[in-house]
């Protein structure tokens, strides 16, 4: 069953006048968390897309890249996007509800922030309002500052993706420490591990880029140490 069919079912359960925040309150059980994750990224992405005052074709396309949305499912995704744009609920309320939903799965919240970075950079520009938006969402998610800096370094062109930042190690870490950190990141971000913790299969393309960045960071770091 397509995740978009399950999302359509979740949306059809809304009564007149209810917003997407009501969906977050209902999708608490683990089997439906992949649905909640997808709705959360699209909903917060829609709010963020308005942060710079302009919703571009590139930002809309980014949703399709993150979730590999099939042609037949695009209408369902657009419905979530439009509901979020029209909902009077503020993004902080959305973020707080999502944080409560995934409070026992901080990795899912990090995955969500990563999806938002992907969308923010879809038009090639990182607007100050988008930075403020993502910083505030990360705060609500109680995300580690180092993890947020790592994501920003990977996505934003004006920051240098230092290999130790991506690997989450100290600049003076030993080769043994760096290798251990790299192997742990590879293990945690294997597609099977992501699906197991609730990331929808449609979002695995996002994780593939992450693996490229992780491996590139290790190659850069180990290469420098070998000199």
């Amino acid at each position: 069953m397509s995740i978009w069919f399950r999302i359509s079912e979740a949306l059809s359960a809304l009564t007149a006048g209810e917003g997407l925040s009501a969906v977050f309150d209902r999708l608490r059980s683990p089997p439906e968390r992949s649905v909640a994750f997808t709705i959360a990224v699209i909903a917060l992405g829609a709010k963020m897309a308005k942060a710079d005052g302009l919703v571009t074709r590139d930002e809309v396309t980014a949703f399709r890249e993150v979730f590999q949305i099939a042609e037949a499912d695009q209408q369902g995704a657009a419905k979530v996007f439009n509901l979020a744009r029209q909902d009077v609920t503020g993004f902080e309320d959305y973020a707080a509800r999502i944080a409560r939903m995934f409070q026992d799965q901080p990795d899912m919240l990090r995955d969500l922030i990563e999806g938002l970075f992907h969308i923010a950079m879809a038009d090639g520009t990182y607007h100050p309002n988008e930075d403020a938006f993502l910083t505030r969402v990360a705060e609500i998610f109680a995300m580690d500052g180092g993890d947020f800096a790592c994501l920003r370094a990977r996505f934003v062109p004006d920051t240098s993706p230092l290999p130790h930042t991506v690997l989450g190690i100290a600049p003076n870490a030993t080769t043994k420490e760096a290798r251990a950190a790299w192997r742990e990141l590879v293990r945690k971000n294997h597609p099977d591990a992501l699906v197991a913790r609730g990331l929808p299969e449609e979002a695995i393309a996002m994780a593939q880029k992450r693996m490229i960045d992780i491996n590139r960071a290790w190659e850069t770091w180990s290469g420098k140490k070998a000199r």
Side-chain angles (χ1 to χ4, degrees):
M1 182 186 299
S2 165
I3 194 169
W4 301 105
F5 179 82
R6 290 154 63 199
I7 287 174
S8 294
E9 285 188 326
L11 295 181
S12 65
L14 293 175
T15 60
E18 284 188 316
L20 283 178
S21 54
V23 175
F24 299 140
D25 289 337
R26 293 170 183 168
L27 300 177
R28 293 184 178 277
S29 58
E32 291 306 312
R33 284 192 175 185
S34 60
V35 174
F37 176 89
T38 305
I39 292 177
V41 174
I42 296 178
L44 284 176
K47 296 288 187 183
M48 184 180 64
K50 297 172 63 177
D52 60 3
L54 182 65
V55 180
T56 69
R57 182 186 299 269
D58 290 328
E59 287 170 329
V60 175
T61 301
F63 288 109
R64 299 174 184 172
E65 292 176 353
V66 171
F67 293 107
Q68 300 180 339
I69 304 174
E71 190 75 30
D73 296 321
Q74 289 179 14
Q75 186 175 355
K79 184 176 181 180
V80 178
F81 187 85
N82 290 327
L83 271 174
R85 289 177 61 192
Q86 297 163 10
D87 196 340
V88 296
T89 303
F91 79 90
E92 291 182 326
D93 183 73
Y94 274 19
R97 290 170 186 266
I98 294 163
R100 289 194 296 270
M101 178 180 297
F102 295 112
Q103 61 183 343
D104 60 337
Q105 290 182 287
D107 285 340
M108 286 288 282
L109 295 174
R110 189 183 188 282
D111 293 334
L112 202 158
I113 290 284
E114 182 169 356
L116 294 177
F117 262 109
H118 183 95
I119 293 163
M121 291 305 303
D123 58 1
T125 302
Y126 190 58
H127 194 279
N129 288 348
E130 290 174 325
D131 185 58
F133 179 98
L134 287 169
T135 299
R136 179 58 184 142
V137 172
E139 289 174 353
I140 294 172
F141 286 177
M143 185 176 182
D144 179 80
D147 285 344
F148 185 77
C150 171
L151 285 176
R152 192 178 189 281
R154 284 177 47 212
F155 282 92
V156 182
D158 66 351
T159 56
S160 176
L162 298 173
H164 68 269
T165 303
V166 175
L167 295 173
I169 58 176
N172 60 347
T174 65
T175 299
K176 182 179 180 180
E177 291 170 335
R179 184 182 289 110
W182 167 63
R183 287 177 173 172
E184 178 64 11
L185 286 171
V186 170
R187 184 191 66 79
K188 287 177 61 177
N189 293 289
H190 187 279
D192 290 343
L194 298 179
V195 171
R197 73 175 181 234
L199 197 72
E201 292 183 5
E202 289 84 350
I204 295 303
M206 182 177 73
Q208 293 172 343
K209 179 185 185 305
R210 184 189 308 174
M211 287 297 294
I212 291 172
D213 292 340
I214 290 169
N215 287 325
R216 182 182 293 129
W218 163 246
E219 291 169 4
T220 302
W221 194 94
S222 58
K224 287 182 178 180
K225 288 293 182 178
R227 293 174 187 171

